[in-house]
Amino acid sequence: MDLSTTIAGVRFPTCLMNASGALCVTKAELEALGQSRSGAIVTKSMTPAFRQGNPEPRYYSFPGGSINSMGLPNLGYPAYADIIPTLQTFGKPVIASIAGLSPPDFLEAARAITAVSPDLIEVNLSCPNIAGKPQIGYDVEASRALLLELKKIVTVPMGVKLPPYFDPVHYEITARMLLDVKVDFMTVINSVGNGLVVDPEEERVVIKPRYGFGGLGGAMIKPVALANVRAFWKLIGDSIPIIGTGGVVSGTDMFEHILCGAKAVQIGTALVDEGVGVFQRLEKELGELLQRKGYASLSDCRGRLQEL
Ligand code: SIN
């Protein structure tokens, strides 16, 4: 079964890959993704300087999902600029994820990373875990201004990683802005920000930073992720390719993202739980499901979710 896909003119050998954040901070982790069945190597969101991130424990997995408040731990863009040429020898696209605590941080990272020509750049507008720094993706005019500046610098396909939206009007104004700016792809969604998980036995929170508040991921967020993929696909169609992210634990979950309109899918919590072997399992499960349903390719079913 051919599970390849093309996003912004870049061919991916398979339509599944890691989500930025999951096992993609260090050179060793990135090379392990290169050696795995992941269809791309997505870096951790990089900032101008090395960041230790938030205090530990900052990631907690539980039945049904995960909560994290990592705080953008990363090596800093100069280190990733050094590593990216090596990553490109694995024969799959490299997506550099850039972030920042202020617009100048993003521009600085974009300048340095564009110089080493990753295959695509994903602009992270949606980290929920930095105290005092709201998710830019919830401010459509701030997002527009930042993306327009970045467009002047970035010469490879540039996409955005969005937070989840919960109101039809927010889908509409965000879709309009992304079409105006002409982003090349969109990754939908980042974690569901500012959740709280409680351990009732210990009568306390499960992660240390920010009083226990953090971004939710894993199976429990799949309906929110699917709603965002579907809502944007209905507004934008194929004008901006969508990478679906959120709640993918099985080949069936991938299929649901594709039915909603996703051209590719990213894996976060399941990758942290299972390691890079997850890609082979998911690829097999999706291939078998498509075959059982009589689909010859992804494009035969993509976006074809039926309504009642
Ligand atoms: C983090 O590093 O806190 C998570 C990154 C993200 O959610 O964008």
Side-chain angles (χ1 to χ4, degrees), residues 286-300:
L286 178 63
E288 286 172 357
L289 186 149
L290 293 178
Q291 207 156 25
R292 177 170 63 76
K293 285 179 159 280
Y295 289 118
S297 73
L298 294 173
S299 52
D300 287 351

Side-chain angles (χ1 to χ4, degrees), residues 14-49:
T14 65
C15 64
L16 69 163
M17 67 194 84
N18 69 297
S20 176
L23 302 186
C24 59
V25 174
T26 64
K27 185 166 190 248
E29 287 173 340
L30 291 162
E31 288 183 344
L33 289 166
Q35 281 151 4
S36 77
R37 294 291 304 176
S38 179
I41 305 172
V42 187
T43 72
K44 176 68 183 171
S45 296
M46 60 190 82
T47 52

Side-chain angles (χ1 to χ4, degrees), residues 44-45 54 68-73 124 126-129 190-191:
K44 176 68 183 171
S45 296
N54 289 338
N68 86 82
S69 183
M70 305 301 287
L72 293 176
N124 184 354
S126 49
C127 176
N129 300 329
N190 206 328
S191 59

Side-chain angles (χ1 to χ4, degrees), residues 205-226:
V205 300
V206 298
I207 54 171
K208 186 177 174 75
R210 300 175 56 246
Y211 311 103
F213 289 78
L216 302 173
M220 65 189 300
I221 73 162
K222 185 176 72 171
V224 178
L226 294 176

